[in-house]
Structures are given as C-alpha cells and as structure tokens.
C-alpha cells in the first residue's frame, strides 16, 4: 500500500499506529496490506516519534499517555533516551544562566513527523476512498508557518472538493481532516494534529511555533 509494488504485501499495517493510544482506545484501528520493508520502515519511524511526541502532548489523556506508554519505550531505546537527557541538561544549564522559562524543549526532527503523515495519507486515502496515492502520485506533508494557516484552512472550503472526512481518535490524541477532488481522485488535501503538540523552529524560522501538519497529494503530471 505504501510503495505501490504489486504482489509483495505480506503483512497488515495499522495505518494509525496502535502505540499512539492508551490500550483502552485501541479499538477498530484500520489496517492496510503492506510489504515487510515498508512495514518495518514505518514501524521504526513510529517507535521513534511515539517515544518523543508524548512529552509535548496536550490532549485530554496527555499525562496518562506519557506515564503509561513512554517509560517502556525509553527503556528499549537507550540511545534515544540518552539524547533526550543530554538535550534536557544542556538546555537547563543554558536557560539557568539567563532566564527561567516554564517549558521544556526536546529535539524533534520534524521531517520525521512529515514522513509519518505522508504514510498515513497514503493508507487513509485508500481506506476511505479506495484511491492509490503511491508513486508517481506526489504526496507531501509539512508543518507550515502560522501566517499560512488561514489560507490553508480556506482551501477546505473550496466547493470543488467531493468527499470529506473529519476524524478525532482518542479525544484529540490524533485528528485528521481530509478532502478529495471529485474530478481528480488522487488530488487530496489534509490536516493532521498529533497529541496536540506544538513544535518550535520547525520550518526554519527561529521561535516560530506550529501545531498543525498539512498534506497534499497531486496526480502525476
Ligand atoms: Zn512496500
């Protein structure tokens, strides 16, 4: 479902990783066929992000997500645990000398978040609409500068969109909104939030914060 190769799917992948959610919220998460290579690459990405993102969680179950799910993941990933502690120490020392800020920052490669959203766009488009977004369809997702958000949101209102989806899974743990062009099925537009996290400096602008990932798919030229 992700690489678009025919006849290689030998696993079933949860499009939205079960690990995002508390065990009580893991019901009926959809699966798609996937090859072992894609499934492993996506799992690796998910494990990394699901260890870091809950530190920034702001949704209703944020505290339980962090307390119940993250310690086990940190224990299984010592290099990541060490990297997070190093960053925390470095920041504490730096901040302590200058001023105190009531927040903690952790290193996050936002391109990994984008990549995961691109996987989810591909899987969800197939589940909801039966449309194939694999190559050569272009699929891109990204955080955007906040000044772009109003324009991006206005795109959802365009009357040419056909099918529309709006989902909130786990009371804000993960939300997505998507629309599909009725005339070109592989043209789709998406908005994701994950745990309600806010990223800083995500799009190359120091101090600029973003909390929403937008994605678009375009048919082959
Ligand atoms: Zn594959």
């Amino acid at each position: 479902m992700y690489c678009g190769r025919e006849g290689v799917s030998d696993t079933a992948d949860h499009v939205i990783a079960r690990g995002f959610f508390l065990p009580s919220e893991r019901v009926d998460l959809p699966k798609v066929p996937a090859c072992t290579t894609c499934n492993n690459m996506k799992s690796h990405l998910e494990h990394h992000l699901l260890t870091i993102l809950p530190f920034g969680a702001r949704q209703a179950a944020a505290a339980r997500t962090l307390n119940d799910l993250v310690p086990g993941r940190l224990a299984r990933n010592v290099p990541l645990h060490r990297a997070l502690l190093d960053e925390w120490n470095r920041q504490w020392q730096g901040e302590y000398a200058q001023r105190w800020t009531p927040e903690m920052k952790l290193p996050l490669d936002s391109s990994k978040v984008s990549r995961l959203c691109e996987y989810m766009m591909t899987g969800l488009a197939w589940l909801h609409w039966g449309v194939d977004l694999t190559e050569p369809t272009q699929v891109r997702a990204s955080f955007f500068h906040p000044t772009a958000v109003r324009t991006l949101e206005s795109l959802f209102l365009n009357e040419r969109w056909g099918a529309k989806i709006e989902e909130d899974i786990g009371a804000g743990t993960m939300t997505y909104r998507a629309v599909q062009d009725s005339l070109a099925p592989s043209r789709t537009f998406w908005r994701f939030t994950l745990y309600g996290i806010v990223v800083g400096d995500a799009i190359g602008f120091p101090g600029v914060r973003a909390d929403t990932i937008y994605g678009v798919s375009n048919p082959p030229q």
Side-chain angles (χ1 to χ4, degrees):
M1 199 63 247
Y2 300 115
C3 58
R5 291 184 297 147
E6 296 276 346
V8 294
S9 294
D10 49 7
T11 64
D13 174 67
H14 283 96
V15 177
I16 304 166
R18 287 164 55 79
F20 267 110
F21 308 95
L22 294 166
S24 59
E25 294 172 331
R26 290 179 187 173
V27 289
D28 296 334
L29 289 170
K31 291 188 209 176
V32 296
C35 72
T36 304
T37 307
C38 289
N39 204 337
N40 286 344
M41 282 176 15
K42 182 166 173 283
S43 294
H44 190 74
L45 194 57
E46 287 163 346
H47 177 83
H48 180 84
L49 291 173
L50 292 176
T51 307
I52 297 180
L53 297 180
F55 283 98
R58 297 185 301 158
Q59 93 283 20
R64 283 180 61 209
T65 301
L66 185 58
N67 293 333
D68 294 1
L69 301 183
V70 171
R73 291 173 189 160
L74 281 174
R76 290 194 296 276
N77 192 340
V78 172
L80 179 59
H81 195 177
R82 192 170 294 136
L84 294 175
L85 278 175
D86 283 350
E87 180 67 18
W88 189 78
N89 284 333
R90 190 190 61 72
Q91 183 185 326
W92 171 249
Q93 288 162 6
E95 297 285 342
Y96 185 71
Q98 295 162 13
R99 62 197 165 85
W100 182 76
T101 52
E103 62 180 21
M104 185 174 97
K105 293 177 191 164
L106 287 174
L108 172 68
D109 177 353
S110 67
S111 71
K112 287 188 160 68
V113 181
S114 298
R115 184 74 195 105
L116 181 62
C117 288
E118 289 165 359
Y119 273 119
M120 292 195 289
M121 285 167 63
T122 306
L124 292 170
W126 187 76
L127 283 167
H128 284 294
W129 299 320
V131 61
D132 176 3
L133 297 189
T134 59
E135 297 270 350
T137 300
Q138 293 181 309
V139 176
R140 293 288 180 274
S142 177
F143 288 97
F144 279 84
H145 192 285
T147 55
V149 166
R150 183 183 295 192
T151 304
L152 289 163
E153 287 295 315
S154 73
L155 295 179
F156 283 111
L157 306 177
N158 193 320
E159 289 180 1
R160 69 184 255 176
W161 298 120
K164 300 180 176 68
I165 309 165
E166 185 129 33
E167 297 279 350
D168 177 345
I169 306 172
T173 298
M174 155 146 189
T175 72
Y176 63 96
R177 184 178 185 186
V179 286
Q180 182 191 32
D181 191 331
S182 53
L183 302 176
S186 59
R187 177 170 287 124
T188 63
F189 180 57
W190 302 72
R191 177 226 288 146
F192 292 91
T193 66
L194 308 175
Y195 292 126
I197 60 154
V198 176
V199 296
D201 309 339
I203 38 260
F205 296 94
V208 170
R209 293 152 167 268
D211 60 3
T212 311
I213 303 113
Y214 290 93
V216 65
S217 69
N218 278 317
Q221 294 296 321

